[in-house]
Amino acid sequence: MPPRLNLLTVPRTIAYRPKVAASSLRNGALTRTSPLYRNYSDSKDTLGADRSKDPTTQPLGGVSEEAAKTADITGSKGPELEQGTPVEEIVKDDKEAQSKLPKVMQDSIKSHGPKGSRSFSTSARRCDFQTEGLIHAEMPPPLASMPPGVKFGLPTLPVPADAHLKYRYDPAVKLFTNLIMEHGKLSVAQRNMALILTHLRTSPPPTISPLRPLLPGSPPPSHLPLNPTLYLTLAIDSIAPLLRIRSQKGAAGGGVALQIPVPLGLRQRRRIAVEWILAAATKRKNRGSGKGGFALRLAEEIISVVEGKSSVWEKRGMIHKQGVAARANLKLGIRR
Amino acid sequence: MPSSVCLRRLSLAPSDLTAHAMASRSLLAYTQTASFSQSAPLSAKPGQGKPAGPARGERTLNLGKNKKVQRDMGKRPAPGERKALRKRVVLSNTNALVVEGLNDLTVGNIETGDMQGQVVGLSEPVIDSLRAVEAFKATQGWHLFRRPAMLMRRETTQVSALMRDVETRKKTVRRILAGDRASGKSTLLLQGLAMAFMKKWVVISIPDAKDIVSAHTEYAPLPGSNPLQYTQNAYTANLLAQIAKANSEVLSKLLPGTDLKLPIPTNRITTLADLAVLGSKNPELSWPIFNALWTELTQPGRPPIMLAVDGLAHMMAPSAYLSAEAKPIHAHDLVVVRHFVDHLSGKSALPNGGMVLAATSGSNQPGSPALKFSVQLAEARAQGATDLPMWNPYQLVDQRVMEVLKDVDTLKLHGLDKRDARTIMEYYAASGMLRKQVDEPLVSQWWTLAGNGNIGELEKGSVKMRA
């Protein structure tokens, strides 16, 4: 017995329309080509012709207008369209009569003229200088050697690193900002970052301790406040650890974890350094009150890092010492 | 929040009718009240009984699972110390570079007006006076540069022209400084005050109108006033101290001409500066002394007066003070505010000429629809519009505010033009605060990003390193 349900036939007709090819769509959007044939009912006008004067496009009148028109054609007397006495027309040229009109009508006569100005503005802020556009007013003269289709000239290569929208801030500053951020509030973090940089700019130049040398080749301390981004980057990079200690469970035998040093990349090193600075700043005492308290503590911690006073230096020293001790545990890739 | 002491004092001032009514009502409600009470007349002395918790820094036994690590907080900051740190105004950055060729503003170049479009510095005595009247705000960018300097913009020239007019024709000029947020209203006010100090005017400035109406200082009804008005002795005394300090050079040369009619011996007062100092030291007499000082200053032959206020919207609304009936007191019923408002509205004129400048604030303003409407109306009037804006008749209006601001003109601040923007950006760069080459594309870019040259936004974008 054949199965009652036939899977191969379609139970009902499907309204299936084949997909319009993308190329034909694009053509239709860009250029209106006239069709090859024209129906009798189609207008003889071309597509873009002005049809606003066409009798077919005019709105229909009311019932009384229609009746009046029919009466006009048949020669009979139709309904009166004008209601009341057209006083305004009567007194149109009579100044004396106009002055005796009620106030409402005087106002309506006056209001026919063009108004002085609106009470509200429909434009953006007025510019006093006509030459000032939103974009740089003096356009560069079109060069003869400019390739066709280029309006503002080609960018000078190589494109600077911060020209991209997503990478417009200094990478170290951006990393720091993102690590300050709490609950996804980036703008609060950015405000705090601005406060930190301002504090670095306004505090006196740091006195660098010879016991805690900064990165080799760092600028003299008097140059730092005027370049707060460099100041911050120098503080982060100076304390950034070179490695971390990974403990491998049970590898040392007897359930003891084996300490293995692992080298870190630039972002990883910076990230650890920033986290140490944040931890040290959290333990500091808040001196003032209000919004910028944490930013102030953070800025003071950064200065103390550069001056070699911060406890972060001990952390870094400890990790490095551990790394030296755990060097023996490294199994470099010796293959047989 | 008003202190309870003041309310108690106020409740004595009106007749005791209400008190009687309250008493009779309570007698009706509780007929079985005892004629005596067994409760102790005073609460227990502090220190007796069980303390609420361990004292600060004391070690306690904590057996709980989640032990909190207690941090040693050290000594607590003294009262007001943290606020002082927050409100501190720093006017110098020793790291910033000294700008070569930065000229000071002088009386001479105010008069000629050839400083327009340039950045000018302020001289030391003027800075001291401006500091005394709290014209510098902590939120402004003074702390970034070597010394206070400002751009002489078109609006500044307008103010200086008005001041020249005042001096020649002895008229009273009244203006509301209006404009977008961060468009430089407070700075323009500061420039006006600086020019007034240089021209040896007498400057009376209310640095922030919020402080008068926020009910943080004591108040008391003014005896014999109808309708009832209120004095603020502590505030007025502080104002007199500011007047004395800021105008010491002018006031110490003015001698009292009339009988001062004060209830304390005034034989030691030789100059008006002494009078102001006396008022600052006797808060209970500060208002009569302020009046006496004002009477002296409006005598013929005295210098013009500059009256200034920042944050006008706070003055144009009911204050946070409460009357004896526990109703909010309108700000115009406070005597200091009323004194200012009478001169702003033109009800009282300055006989020796002078200027009344009131700056609105874009960032700290309570809703004052009447003020907003009045500013719109004044702007439409200034543009010569024929159909002026109308107040929505279905909306409640603060009639007192409307009446006061009926015919006050505004001075509207616009964005800088590109030339001025370039000047100020070159100053930033010369101070070492903007580490970029200031050229035409950069100026255009920042000018656009700053909302067509809004100077506060320009500073925020180019100097304050928002990243």
Side-chain angles (χ1 to χ4, degrees):
Chain A
M1 201 172 103
R4 288 177 62 194
L5 195 67
N6 192 354
L7 291 170
L8 292 175
T9 56
V10 179
R12 61 184 169 82
T13 53
I14 298 172
Y16 174 71
R17 189 185 299 154
K19 201 172 182 182
V20 182
S23 61
S24 73
L25 242 184
R26 194 159 55 239
N27 270 341
L30 286 178
T31 53
R32 291 291 292 267
T33 48
S34 52
L36 292 175
Y37 56 93
R38 182 166 66 80
N39 288 331
Y40 183 74
S41 57
D42 284 352
S43 164
K44 288 187 188 65
D45 294 333
T46 49
L47 281 168
D50 182 21
R51 251 182 267 122
S52 60
K53 294 282 176 341
D54 243 14
T56 51
T57 58
Q58 301 305 321
L60 291 173
V63 178
S64 4
E65 273 99 12
E66 198 183 343
K69 247 176 206 168
T70 321
D72 193 31
I73 291 165
T74 52
S76 60
K77 195 171 161 53
E80 185 67 47
L81 288 182
E82 307 256 327
Q83 290 179 356
T85 324
V87 182
E88 283 167 26
E89 276 176 31
I90 294 169
V91 298
K92 198 173 166 190
D93 300 322
D94 195 352
K95 285 278 172 212
E96 199 188 334
Q98 269 185 17
S99 66
K100 280 167 189 159
L101 284 175
K103 182 137 191 330
V104 187
M105 295 187 68
Q106 283 178 350
D107 285 350
S108 74
I109 290 173
K110 266 185 206 164
S111 69
H112 283 311
K115 283 187 177 176
S117 76
R118 295 186 185 87
S119 63
F120 53 89
S121 165
T122 54
S123 63
R125 184 177 319 137
R126 187 179 299 159
C127 248
D128 290 353
F129 289 78
Q130 291 294 320
T131 52
E132 282 177 358
L134 284 181
I135 308 169
H136 176 41
E138 291 99 54
M139 297 260 180
L143 295 173
S145 61
M146 207 183 272
V150 175
K151 194 171 177 187
F152 295 104
L154 290 173
T156 49
L157 291 174
V159 175
D162 59 350
H164 192 282
L165 173 72
K166 288 192 171 177
Y167 309 109
R168 61 188 185 276
Y169 301 132
D170 184 85
V173 172
K174 193 186 170 195
L175 181 75
F176 203 111
T177 311
N178 285 347
L179 285 169
I180 302 174
M181 176 161 61
E182 280 184 323
H183 315 301
K185 296 188 177 178
L186 179 62
S187 81
V188 175
Q190 283 174 333
R191 189 176 61 216
N192 283 335
M193 193 70 233
L195 287 175
I196 291 168
L197 294 178
T198 306
H199 187 84
L200 295 182
R201 282 207 282 200
T202 50
S203 54
T207 47
I208 289 166
S209 151
L211 296 175
R212 305 281 193 205
L214 299 175
L215 276 188
S218 59
S222 60
H223 287 205
L224 292 178
L226 279 181
N227 195 349
T229 316
L230 178 68
Y231 199 156
L232 181 76
T233 318
L234 183 64
I236 295 172
D237 283 349
S238 297
I239 53 153
L242 291 167
L243 44 89
R244 73 182 173 93
I245 306 293
R246 182 166 66 82
S247 0
Q248 191 153 335
K249 260 187 198 168
V256 179
L258 189 67
Q259 310 276 325
I260 297 170
V262 181
L264 298 172
L266 178 66
R267 267 180 75 85
Q268 290 172 314
R269 296 177 57 208
R270 280 183 172 167
R271 183 196 164 88
I272 292 173
V274 173
E275 278 176 350
W276 285 349
I277 292 175
L278 287 178
T282 318
K283 284 184 197 130
R284 275 183 173 255
K285 217 183 105 192
N286 210 354
R287 288 197 291 119
S289 61
K291 275 180 189 170
F294 185 61
L296 198 67
R297 283 188 279 161
L298 214 44
E300 281 168 355
E301 188 62 37
I302 289 164
I303 294 170
S304 78
V305 161
V306 173
E307 290 186 337
K309 293 177 190 162
S310 173
S311 63
V312 173
W313 284 99
E314 269 101 65
K315 270 191 185 173
R316 178 180 193 263
M318 217 163 63
I319 289 281
H320 281 195
K321 202 181 263 182
Q322 272 185 357
V324 171
R327 222 165 19 180
N329 302 337
L330 271 179
K331 276 186 183 160
L332 298 169
I334 303 162
R335 285 183 190 163
R336 273 185 282 173
Chain B
M1 203 199 284
S3 71
S4 60
V5 181
C6 295
L7 270 181
R8 227 184 299 144
R9 193 198 283 175
L10 279 173
S11 67
L12 296 178
S15 65
D16 348 351
L17 273 175
T18 49
H20 280 304
M22 292 280 280
S24 59
R25 210 185 309 144
S26 65
L27 281 174
L28 282 173
Y30 304 102
T31 45
Q32 295 295 319
T33 46
S35 58
F36 66 95
S37 165
Q38 286 181 329
S39 60
L42 289 171
S43 50
K45 278 180 197 164
Q48 288 180 346
K50 200 178 164 194
R56 279 175 53 82
E58 198 176 277
R59 291 187 69 129
T60 52
L61 182 65
N62 190 358
L63 293 174
K65 205 173 168 187
N66 303 323
K67 280 186 193 170
K68 265 191 185 172
V69 182
Q70 286 196 341
R71 277 162 48 202
D72 180 28
M73 301 299 281
K75 205 170 124 271
R76 280 186 92 86
E81 193 182 318
R82 299 196 299 166
K83 186 180 179 188
L85 197 68
R86 195 173 72 230
K87 301 271 173 189
R88 188 181 46 161
V89 174
V90 181
L91 295 184
S92 174
N93 178 11
T94 47
N95 296 326
L97 306 175
V98 178
V99 180
E100 297 295 330
L102 180 68
N103 296 317
D104 272 0
L105 192 64
T106 57
V107 183
N109 54 34
I110 294 172
E111 290 298 332
T112 54
D114 54 4
M115 280 293 168
Q116 191 193 337
Q118 290 187 37
V119 178
V120 292
L122 288 169
S123 57
E124 283 298 323
V126 177
I127 291 174
D128 290 344
S129 295
L130 289 172
R131 238 185 203 286
V133 296
E134 295 177 32
F136 296 108
K137 302 278 155 77
T139 48
Q140 294 165 344
W142 307 107
H143 61 289
L144 292 170
F145 302 99
R146 182 56 81 111
R147 68 196 191 94
M150 54 202 193
L151 176 72
M152 300 297 280
R153 48 197 288 184
R154 251 179 308 153
E155 288 85 356
T156 318
T157 317
Q158 284 176 26
V159 171
S160 70
L162 287 172
M163 290 175 89
R164 205 175 311 132
D165 218 23
V166 164
E167 284 180 335
T168 49
R169 289 198 275 159
K170 289 203 171 187
K171 62 183 213 177
T172 311
V173 172
R174 303 169 284 123
R175 288 287 183 281
I176 294 176
L177 307 183
D180 289 340
R181 187 171 179 276
S183 59
K185 301 177 287 294
S186 294
T187 312
L188 183 61
L189 192 68
L190 179 140
Q191 290 176 337
L193 294 181
M195 290 191 282
F197 279 124
M198 281 177 199
K199 290 172 171 240
K200 311 282 179 223
W201 290 20
V202 177
V203 175
I204 298 176
S205 168
I206 296 171
D208 191 357
K210 187 183 176 185
D211 295 340
I212 318 182
V213 297
S214 61
H216 284 203
T217 55
E218 62 186 53
Y219 69 121
L222 181 68
S225 57
N226 188 30
L228 195 57
Q229 293 173 38
Y230 299 84
T231 55
Q232 291 155 287
N233 291 335
Y235 189 90
T236 318
N238 184 35
L239 184 65
L240 281 170
Q242 285 186 359
I243 293 170
K245 196 175 173 198
N247 303 292
S248 57
E249 200 189 334
V250 180
L251 290 185
S252 57
K253 284 178 193 148
L254 299 178
L255 311 180
T258 54
D259 181 20
L260 294 170
K261 289 177 196 153
L262 289 173
I264 46 168
T266 53
N267 44 10
R268 279 197 185 172
I269 291 172
T270 50
T271 63
L272 293 188
D274 295 343
L275 185 64
V277 170
L278 184 76
S280 68
K281 287 181 179 159
N282 297 287
E284 68 281 2
L285 288 175
S286 56
W287 179 244
I289 288 177
F290 182 87
N291 270 333
L293 180 67
W294 187 263
T295 317
E296 283 295 326
L297 288 176
T298 45
Q299 296 301 314
R302 303 288 196 196
I305 295 174
M306 167 71 93
L307 273 176
V309 67
D310 201 349
L312 181 70
H314 287 281
M315 274 188 177
M316 298 296 161
S319 73
Y321 289 106
L322 295 183
S323 67
E325 292 82 34
K327 297 259 171 58
I329 296 171
H330 198 281
H332 292 185
D333 286 335
L334 303 168
V335 280
V336 181
V337 177
R338 174 178 283 239
H339 182 264
F340 184 88
V341 158
D342 280 352
H343 288 90
L344 180 66
S345 67
K347 192 178 160 193
S348 320
L350 299 168
N352 301 314
M355 203 165 197
V356 188
L357 282 185
T360 55
S361 168
S363 52
N364 179 13
Q365 50 170 352
S368 180
L371 171 66
K372 199 175 160 193
F373 173 76
S374 302
V375 168
Q376 279 173 357
L377 188 67
E379 276 165 14
R381 217 166 39 212
Q383 285 175 5
T386 46
D387 57 343
L388 297 170
M390 296 270 283
W391 180 262
N392 179 1
Y394 295 102
Q395 223 178 343
L396 280 179
V397 59
D398 194 339
Q399 206 58 54
R400 298 179 72 169
V401 174
M402 289 290 238
E403 193 60 32
V404 160
L405 300 176
K406 209 168 42 187
D407 59 344
V408 189
D409 291 333
T410 56
L411 201 149
K412 174 107 182 182
L413 278 92
H414 298 283
L416 301 181
D417 55 54
K418 279 197 183 166
R419 213 171 32 189
D420 283 357
R422 183 168 190 149
T423 310
I424 193 82
M425 283 176 75
E426 276 170 355
Y427 170 70
Y428 295 156
S431 303
M433 289 295 116
L434 176 63
R435 297 178 62 85
K436 272 182 184 153
Q437 193 191 350
V438 179
D439 50 7
E440 193 71 34
L442 184 83
V443 172
S444 297
Q445 187 187 346
W446 280 113
W447 183 87
T448 307
L449 287 175
N452 292 14
N454 184 322
I455 186 164
E457 296 294 330
L458 201 66
E459 190 190 70
K460 201 196 264 178
S462 54
V463 181
K464 290 198 174 167
M465 301 203 76
R466 179 93 184 186

